[in-house]
Amino acid sequence: MRHVLDAEFFRRWMLTAAAAVDREADRLTELDSAIGDADHGANLKRGFTAVRAALEDAPPETPGAVLVLAGRQLISKVGGASGPLYGTLLRGTGKALGDGAEVTDAALGAALEEGVGAVAKLGGAAPGDKTMLDALVPAVAALGDGYAAARGAAEKGAEDTIPLRARKGRASYLGERSIGHQDPGATSSALLVGALAETAEAVTGG
Amino acid sequence: MRHVLDAEFFRRWMLTAAAAVDREADRLTELDSAIGDADHGANLKRGFTAVRAALEDAPPETPGAVLVLAGRQLISKVGGASGPLYGTLLRGTGKALGDGAEVTDAALGAALEEGVGAVAKLGGAAPGDKTMLDALVPAVAALGDGYAAARGAAEKGAEDTIPLRARKGRASYLGERSIGHQDPGATSSALLVGALAETAEAVTGG
Amino acid sequence: MRMLINVPETVVPDALRGMAAAHPDLTVDVENRVVVRRDAPVTDKVGLVSGGGSGHEPLHGGFVGRGMLDAACAGEIFTSPVPDQMTRAAAAVDAGRGVLFIVKNYTGDVLNFDMAADLAQDEGIQVAKVLVDDDVAVTDSLYTAGRRGVGATLFVEKIAGAAAEEGAPLERVEALARKVVESSRSFGVALSACTTPAKGSPTFDLPDGELELGIGIHGEPGRERRPMMTSHEIADVSVDAVLEDLRPSGPVLALVNGMGATPLIELYGFNAEVQRALTERGVSVARTLVGNYVTSLDMAGCSITLCQADEELLRLWDAPVRTPGLRWGL
Amino acid sequence: MRMLINVPETVVPDALRGMAAAHPDLTVDVENRVVVRRDAPVTDKVGLVSGGGSGHEPLHGGFVGRGMLDAACAGEIFTSPVPDQMTRAAAAVDAGRGVLFIVKNYTGDVLNFDMAADLAQDEGIQVAKVLVDDDVAVTDSLYTAGRRGVGATLFVEKIAGAAAEEGAPLERVEALARKVVESSRSFGVALSACTTPAKGSPTFDLPDGELELGIGIHGEPGRERRPMMTSHEIADVSVDAVLEDLRPSGPVLALVNGMGATPLIELYGFNAEVQRALTERGVSVARTLVGNYVTSLDMAGCSITLCQADEELLRLWDAPVRTPGLRWGL
Ligand SMILES: Nc1ncnc2c1ncn2[C@@H]1O[C@H](COP(=O)(O)OP(=O)(O)O)[C@@H](O)[C@H]1O
Ligand SMILES: Nc1ncnc2c1ncn2[C@@H]1O[C@H](COP(=O)(O)OP(=O)(O)O)[C@@H](O)[C@H]1O
Ligand SMILES: [Mg+2]
Ligand SMILES: [Mg+2]
Ligand SMILES: [Mg+2]
Ligand SMILES: [Mg+2]
């Protein structure tokens, strides 16, 4: 891969992610019901519906602005743990992208690393805690091998949360009983990375 | 039949009734659950437990006194519709028996008629209203043909409440929907009459 | 059976002990199951006594206190109390100006309170009775035991209680109570049946996706079963049912009541629909009370009660009250 | 799904509209989901703001009013509200003496209130925060998100609210709130799971005849499943769990709280057992509150919260309060 990514690319990523969230909302809620409070699907659906509306309302002109706007929407509309965390992920990534009209794959990779770092800082979690970081961190690490590799890593990371005992978020209240369930946030993170890969495939041919 | 009935006979009747109520309490509650408030079995069980205790505590010396004491216990311990009604039945019958040490079958028949009349007056119901009267009235009418006949009439009377639409008591709230269910009070009345027949069979040979 | 109890037999006395511990303002006679205002009998005040089967909490014991009831008798679950309790309560609260029995119209309650009134009068206590019969789901005709007493009981207890607290004589308190009864109508809906401790399983079978219209507060099924409806539709049906019987010419008091297991967030949402439905039908609401006040154990569902309130009733409604279940102005 | 709602999406705003209609003392901003005291900002008073996911009613909106909260932010069901709501609430109640955020310790609530505090401070509002974390079912360690905030929230809101009403400065109100948090612990038990409108089926599967110990208020399962227990046994287990963490040296405030679908008669009976269990363990109870105060939608179950209360806390607890959910002395 060696693409140049414009605002349109990021807009499509967000819309693809919104579609994926709509499609998978019930599953996310179901996962959250097992070890959380059964709202993760509804939360992200509400958030990405707002993202979609905002992007349609006044499409920003730079990649960074698209992600910052999307992140702000999530912060203002989602609530819960995932609202500030995903909001911070996108805002942090967007800010790191700067205000150029186009960015490279490599720049996106670096920015995502910053975004994910901001999530880790805000939430105080580390990989292995059974959170969204378990999908995000391996995805960013795999990004050097392409978007498809990142998607695979995120999906694997999400699945690998099953045997983990949660140490952060609501699932940590369950102690041992959190073992054996896939983390909803890691699952939605895999959807976001999957949407990125899908966008890259559609827009740039992968 | 032509017996002379003493206080012991009436005590045994009440204890037999108490045993029957204990045995059938769940069924009575089940019937009351369909068209009432699911307490008839518990109500009568509580009441006849008190009757049993009172009769054991200080066994009265006349037939009339046994029934008056039993009736008072029901009034003081049962509550609901059936407490005052059955209490009045037994008190009314007991009072009508006078204070002789022994009474005849015929005197019991006449006294029961008064007792049932008092129930009808207190509750304002008539046969056909789907209440205890639908078992009590035919039972008293059949008493001339013996205790077994009375039991048969009471049981048939109780069963015959099934197609009736209730016009008194809680079941009347259901309107048409009270049709198709046997009245709990008529059912418990059949138990009381059955206990009388059983007592007569055991004590006097029928 | 999902109940927070020890054994079915002790549910009522256990609850009374817990009530006593929570409310030092009340004197709770656990053995005789009578809850009395600590300062009873209140000098020169007409005494107000009510009671009924348990399972409708906070009714009636939770409405004992200044400005409302002087005493309440707790029966077994869904079973009217016995006359002995009522005469005991009457004796405890009579200050020589007489006692009003507030009786919900059920055969059992009527018979037991009648017997108690006779006994109390024998003991020299002046007793008046008012029968509450507000449930429009039951046609008041020769073919029924008459309309049931449900939510209006709260209005009667509050308004008659305020009048008694002001020193009104028995006839006046009784007349006001009767006026509230005549001005009030209710309608209830169940989304689930309730489970009595003695039975241990739901009193009727209500499949998910259906509801019962016109239910009472004793786990009895309603008059009609329908497919599940929205809060909007339930409000329309309930308001129409009440207004068919009660055509208020002025503002009303509204009670939007939960049956016990319906969360407050749903009751508030339902209240929004009730207010809409009333406004659409030209009825103005002077005061609204939303909550679990006249319940049916763990039944999910709701009822509405409207009371046409003139200035006098409104003033008495607003008067101070200090009970576990209703409190303001004190 | 047995819910008295229109559609899951509008449950929260519908409830807020119904709340507005029932409580003229409150200003309800339905669009932004903020409930505010009508007389806010109150001159010279520290403002108290709380909030959290909906589904715990009357918490928090029902505790807005004189002597308690100045404003509450309602999130979606079981979802913390967003920072915009909290800054809006802070702006509405700030009278220049600063605002205290009362935050239940959940990742979502903490993150959103933190962001809001930053934003509010940017706007020149002085903000302090107190984190409520009283649920002993969660071990407070590096391996969890920390103890959850549950019933103690009511104690904090009441006592800090009373101090603010008396004119105490922000640091003092904050210190008192923190003292209440440190003095309070809770434990909860579920007899049934709850059903969120969005999911439409119970959040976990609890067979009849079993219960969950150590549950929270968001439909999450507890730490342990056990065969059904009596009220006596549940009281023992709950009291022991709390006392393992909180060894009160003096009298306590006790909250015996229903999760939403447990009838009051059962809660009172449970209270009798809680009082017994405390007495047996040498703990004396100064005040008891029994009812549905911090709920979990239609969950059947209960929780207890104990707060060791010195004379100052007791005095502030007894101080007048006038809110939809808690009212005395006014
Ligand atoms: N401290 C944290 N750091 C990173 N991710 C977290 C943290 N806490 C929770 N999460 C993620 O958030 C997800 C839950 O999101 P959501 O259900 O929307 O919020 P809530 O837990 O407030 O209901 C979890 O599955 C987990 O992946
Ligand atoms: N007015 C009445 N006259 C005669 N019997 C009646 C009357 N009302 C009710 N009953 C009888 O009482 C029975 C119900 O008793 P019970 O369940 O103990 O009381 P409640 O209806 O108060 O719960 C009914 O099945 C009926 O037979
Ligand atoms: Mg969640
Ligand atoms: Mg019955
Ligand atoms: Mg009954
Ligand atoms: Mg949540």
Side-chain angles (χ1 to χ4, degrees), chain B residues 18-31 41 187 191:
Chain B
V21 163
D22 276 358
R23 205 172 52 233
E24 299 291 328
D26 285 352
R27 188 171 148 244
L28 295 175
T29 289
E30 199 59 52
L31 291 173
T187 309
L191 289 181

Side-chain angles (χ1 to χ4, degrees), chain A residues 7-23:
Chain A
E8 175 58 14
F9 176 90
F10 285 87
R11 224 175 55 82
R12 287 188 68 160
W13 175 22
M14 289 297 107
L15 297 182
T16 308
V21 163
D22 277 355
R23 205 172 52 233

Side-chain angles (χ1 to χ4, degrees), chain A residues 28-29 31-33 35-44 46 78-86 119-126 129-134 136 161 167-173 182-189, chain D residues 77-80 106-109 111-112 145 218:
Chain A
L28 295 175
T29 289
L31 291 172
D32 196 29
S33 161
I35 53 172
D37 58 352
D39 63 356
H40 191 54
N43 285 348
L44 289 193
R46 190 171 60 251
V78 176
S82 59
L85 290 167
Y86 276 129
V119 169
K121 188 160 168 248
L122 180 65
D129 286 351
K130 195 169 185 132
T131 71
M132 52 177 70
L133 288 178
D134 289 312
L136 293 174
T161 62
R167 278 195 291 243
K168 288 286 165 188
R170 232 170 251 295
S172 72
Y173 303 143
Q182 184 163 325
D183 180 61
T187 311
S188 57
S189 283
Chain D
I77 303 282
F78 293 170
T79 306
S80 132
Y106 299 95
T107 308
D109 295 71
L111 296 179
N112 285 284
H218 297 86

Side-chain angles (χ1 to χ4, degrees), chain C residues 48 67-68 156-168 176 315-320:
Chain C
L48 259 65
M68 221 161 160
V156 174
E157 293 178 357
K158 172 67 186 77
I159 288 169
E165 203 71 51
E166 290 180 2
L176 274 164
R315 187 182 62 76
L316 292 166
W317 175 255
D318 288 339

Side-chain angles (χ1 to χ4, degrees), chain A residues 15-186:
Chain A
L15 297 182
T16 308
V21 163
D22 277 355
R23 205 172 52 233
E24 299 292 327
D26 286 350
R27 189 173 147 242
L28 295 175
T29 289
E30 199 59 52
L31 291 172
D32 196 29
S33 161
I35 53 172
D37 58 352
D39 63 356
H40 191 54
N43 285 348
L44 289 193
K45 201 166 157 175
R46 190 171 60 251
F48 276 94
T49 301
V51 168
R52 188 193 284 128
L55 290 177
E56 276 163 6
D57 227 42
E61 310 214 322
T62 66
V66 169
L67 293 190
V68 167
L69 177 63
R72 278 224 191 96
Q73 287 301 311
L74 294 184
I75 290 172
S76 295
K77 292 293 151 53
V78 176
S82 59
L85 290 167
Y86 276 129
T88 296
L89 173 69
L90 297 186
R91 267 183 86 219
T93 306
K95 284 192 170 176
L97 285 177
D99 49 14
E102 292 178 335
V103 300
T104 62
D105 297 316
L108 173 55
L112 271 172
E113 211 169 313
E114 282 204 37
V116 172
V119 169
K121 188 160 168 248
L122 180 65
D129 286 351
K130 195 169 185 132
T131 71
M132 52 177 70
L133 288 178
D134 289 312
L136 293 174
V137 168
V140 170
L143 211 51
D145 301 328
Y147 294 105
R151 165 169 50 198
E155 282 168 2
K156 182 170 182 311
E159 276 164 35
D160 287 351
T161 62
I162 296 178
L164 295 177
R165 173 179 169 153
R167 278 195 291 243
K168 288 286 165 188
R170 232 170 251 295
S172 72
Y173 303 143
L174 294 183
E176 298 285 339
R177 288 174 83 184
S178 65
I179 293 172
H181 300 276
Q182 184 163 325
D183 180 61

Side-chain angles (χ1 to χ4, degrees), chain D residues 50-74:
Chain D
S50 191
S54 294
H56 310 300
E57 292 64 29
L59 186 83
H60 295 271
F63 297 142
V64 172
R66 191 149 157 216
M68 221 162 160
L69 295 178
D70 293 271
C73 309

